[in-house]
Amino acid sequence: MKQTPVASINTVAKRLVGRGNLVITRKSVRDSLVSVAALIGCQVRDPNGKTIGKLVDIVVRHGEETYPPVSGLIVKVANHKSFINGARISKLTQKEITLSSTKINLENYQRRPGESLLDADVLDHQIVDVDGLQVVRSSDLYLAPLDKEIRVVGVDISFVSFLRRLFPALIARRPTPEHVLDWAMVASLTDSTGVVRTSSSKSALSQLRPADIADLIEDLAGREQGALIEMLDPDLAADALEEMEDDELESLLRGLPAERSAQLLARMEPDESAEVLRDLGSEHRESILSAMEKSVAKQLRELVSFDEDLAGGIMTTHLLIVKESDTVASALKLLVENKERDSSDGVVVVDAKGQLVDHIQTVELIAAKSSSSVLDLVAKPFPTSVLIDTPIAEVVEEFSNNRGSSIIVVDEKNKPIGRILSDDLVDALSRSRPRGFSKGSGVLS
Amino acid sequence: MSINKMVAKRKIRLAAFLAVMGPGVIAGLADDDPAGITTYSQLGTQFGYRMLWTLVIATAALIIFQDLGSRIGVVTRQGLIGLVRQKYGARAGSFSAVSLILANLGTMTAEFAGVAAAGQLFGISRYITVPLTGLVISYLVLRGTFKKAERVFFALSAVFLAYIIAGFMAHPNWSSAFKGMVTPSMPLNHQAINIATATLGTTLAPWGLAFIQSYAVDKRLTRDDLKLLRADVWVGSLLTGVIGFFVVITCAATLNKEHIFSITDASQAAVALKPLAGSLAKYIFAIGIIGAALLAASILPLSTAYSVSDLTGSPAALDDNFQEAPLFYSTFAAITIIGGGLIMIPGVSLVWILISSQILNAILLLPLLSYMYGIAKDKKLMGEFVAKRSSLNIYGSVIALVAVCVIAQFWFLFHN
């Protein structure tokens, strides 16, 4: 390990300084990195130095800790793959793996939930580089002693480390930590059970913007896509899903279990959820809706039933409605209660019959006396409203005539049932633009 | 216009685009590159209608594996080489990449040979045409204007559709042609094995397999697009086969009938178009060759470079500069320079290069097809699209067939 080219690691370390407590920046860790790729195939010995077998794979346990500890080794003993518990490792360096006792229990390895095999599941597989916002392949993984256990601390994504592994053992066994990402800054997407719950990558991922996460999701497919979604906080996942391309989202939902889709769609803006549900087809749609809370499902069913080229088909049903007689204070309270999910910039005022009276902006409410009634604030200009079956072309016209940022959608009795924000309109119009095959890197025609 | 209609219109436009110039059709036409036309011409000239069945099998194999490639690309969103690395490890990944690079290098050399041969029909030396081609392609690709140019090449190579008319005008013996398609028979000699292997290698080209898969990945095609993509792949592959068929019967009805049994240069191959174009035949032939060669030559280095960056796992884009994607540009440059350089060796036989590069293709197909087979049956990777027993049997038979050809090839090589 003495030959470790510390210089290149230092460059990485410098880049990562200030990113909190990343262990790869610690000198003690840098000086004791053990390459997993170089370790596979090594001899495993007993305390007397007698060879027991060859290392086939390393099992790690993902839990709440940032750096997953080694929970065992898979060793080939006399042509039979056996599991050796991690507690029996007395020494693990680049040159030798020694066990603590001569007596070993040879058991068959059974994959347990939350465990993954470093060689079979992680090495050469795709991982998400949260820092660089891209999907990359791991060329090598590094172990180091940390908090009394041997843990995975870093991922090497360099080409040099990949090339090294092609050579005979003499060269291949020499680690070349070139471009190492701290394990806390990556999200590993593969394991045997489908779910890797690494708290670290969860927190690293939670720092990202939903649009960036959407891009990462779109770079992946199948199991990896599912695994990334699982790692995300549901609210963040829902935000990211809203940013995805329509057909990408549709294809993603086809691959997810109905319960998971239901959970995410319920958290998305109702109009966005309704749009993708409409595209999914009735069978799949019903299986998702039936996994939802009844009231949410009912609302979405109604939205889905609207034609998507009418106002009802693109509106969001999330409205904050107050009565004329309510006080300013209660209106403000309603706004605060809904600050999490609502992008509304004010409240809609209705009369005793529930008919639309006005839309009052948050600023007006703040400026008013909190004990006064909402009715006192009702004044010109009155909001633009359209009927639920207004064609989108007319909605666009209304928008450009009135220069507002939203339009209220009412039913035939003039009761407000939804709003169309300008971004909903942008979505609806951009959907109609032919996409062709213009996506991609441009490398291939 | 209603959104519904607009969406529907988008789908239609997409379908229209795919039908006319989708990756499957591009790969199909680029498959009828100089090497393809020469191999098919040789097949018809040497053996008449007798070995048409090899083309039928090769076309079926092309459809089957292009279809598989597009499915793997859409389902896994990973390129072939990257997947091999993930599933079989670093060494296997590199081995598959080297196989692909060698095959593509051979085919690239063949494209230059085609341009050189076509140039000679106009009386221009290959020492002018080859470097010029290299420069033109590099310029178009690096300037990013090759997409427009590609359409021109595409149109030029469509000249080969002339073979279909020429085929009818040459009054071929249709019943012999039909018999040749359905009754497998061949003389058991080195020449026949050579041409059968080259036919497999040029039709089921390695680069096409990697290209279709990377295309699906790069354009992020979804499972909904898969139907269209598969239709496109079927059309493109059949197009390759149909053009190939008419090349073979045209040569069988003209050259072979006139007891010319081997093609040694391009002007001979062009004679086959005489019934159609008379004295213009060789120019039409030359234009088609140049178009197809440039079409393939503008995709080949890029597709190769894409696969290499797929191996390393660092996605490359054309708007990256050299510092950002050194491997990408190095691969591109190496393929172009070596390919062109080989043709500049004085005295090298162009027809020999054209056909032997396709035999090389067939040899290198073996590892690539086998890896695709392994990926196709991997439930973890393919999910619900995992190949059924019956499909696996078909893939296996194609691989076995290629293996038999390659083994026979080596047997004759060492027993003559």
Side-chain angles (χ1 to χ4, degrees), chain A residues 144-203:
Chain A
L146 187 74
D147 296 338
K148 301 191 188 98
E149 290 203 71
I150 301 163
R151 296 167 188 273
V152 181
V153 294
V155 185
D156 193 334
I157 58 167
S158 71
F159 184 48
V160 172
S161 296
F162 171 73
L163 277 186
R164 182 202 84 217
R165 292 169 51 207
L166 308 179
F167 286 92
L170 198 67
I171 299 170
R173 290 275 154 79
R174 220 176 250 212
T176 47
E178 181 79 18
H179 188 170
V180 184
L181 305 175
D182 193 285
W183 189 258
M185 295 310 291
V186 303
S188 164
L189 299 168
T190 20
D191 88 332
S192 47
T193 52
V195 189
V196 184
R197 294 205 175 274
T198 15
S199 52
S200 61
S201 27
K202 258 189 169 172
S203 66

Side-chain angles (χ1 to χ4, degrees), chain B residues 21 26 69 73 83 115 139 145 154 158 207 247 270 305 320 330 340 345 358 367 373 388 403:
Chain B
M21 238 186 109
I26 289 186
L83 270 181
V115 175
Y139 176 80
T145 48
F154 187 80
W207 76 266
V247 173
D320 289 346
S330 313
I345 299 172
Q358 303 312 301
Y373 178 90
K388 291 185 203 74

